[in-house]
Amino acid sequence: MDGLDLGVDFLALEDDPRARARFIVAKEKGKRFLKIRRRYKKPDFARMILDLRNLGWSHEKIAVVLDVSGSSTVSSWATGTRPFYEHGDMFIELWKDQTHLERYPREGEWDYRYDIGQLDLL
């Protein structure tokens, strides 16, 4: 047996119009996903942490409320480390609750202004 044998006759798939149609549909879905992903901007956790700090929240208090290992974890989020999904989602909800804003800041969105945090100075 030379090469990889997956038990599928790939030549038969090339001749089958239904298989080709499924492949084309999957390829188009993949293209749409990549196009959406290019426009996606990550939440700006550093700005959100600064906003909460300006509202009187310390890194320790945030860590306790979110049930993360410690304030060093929150500090690392402020310097660019991404939190796990569960903690990031909880942090965004905490930020929304404390700032009373629905739209949270995204990385690279400097034109988006609100009255909390460092952007109030601009």
Side-chain angles (χ1 to χ4, degrees):
M1 173 155 97
D2 54 354
L4 182 64
D5 183 22
L6 299 176
V8 176
D9 186 7
F10 289 105
L11 294 176
L13 289 179
E14 290 177 0
D15 295 333
D16 184 13
R18 292 179 66 200
R20 275 196 310 256
R22 284 193 308 265
F23 177 74
I24 290 171
V25 168
K27 190 174 180 181
E28 291 301 317
K29 284 182 181 179
K31 284 182 182 179
R32 281 193 305 259
F33 170 76
L34 290 175
K35 187 175 180 181
I36 291 169
R37 190 180 76 174
R38 277 193 301 265
R39 289 189 311 234
Y40 175 76
K41 295 181 180 170
K42 298 181 287 190
D44 195 348
F45 291 108
R47 275 173 55 189
M48 290 191 282
I49 289 172
L50 183 61
D51 293 342
L52 288 179
R53 297 272 305 168
N54 289 337
L55 292 173
W57 285 73
S58 65
H59 289 192
E60 293 85 11
K61 188 175 179 181
I62 294 170
V64 168
V65 168
L66 298 180
D67 196 26
V68 295
S69 60
S71 63
S72 61
T73 304
V74 178
S75 298
S76 68
W77 296 348
T79 59
T81 305
R82 287 187 293 169
F84 292 122
Y85 176 81
E86 301 84 25
H87 296 133
D89 192 43
M90 287 188 300
F91 179 75
I92 290 171
E93 290 303 318
L94 173 67
W95 183 86
K96 285 180 177 181
D97 180 62
Q98 294 300 307
T99 60
H100 307 292
L101 297 171
E102 282 301 311
R103 187 178 186 280
Y104 54 90
R106 305 267 187 170
E107 288 183 358
E109 289 184 336
W110 299 111
D111 58 338
Y112 179 62
R113 295 178 187 257
Y114 51 93
D115 293 332
I116 301 167
Q118 77 274 23
L119 292 183
D120 191 27
L121 301 174
L122 299 176

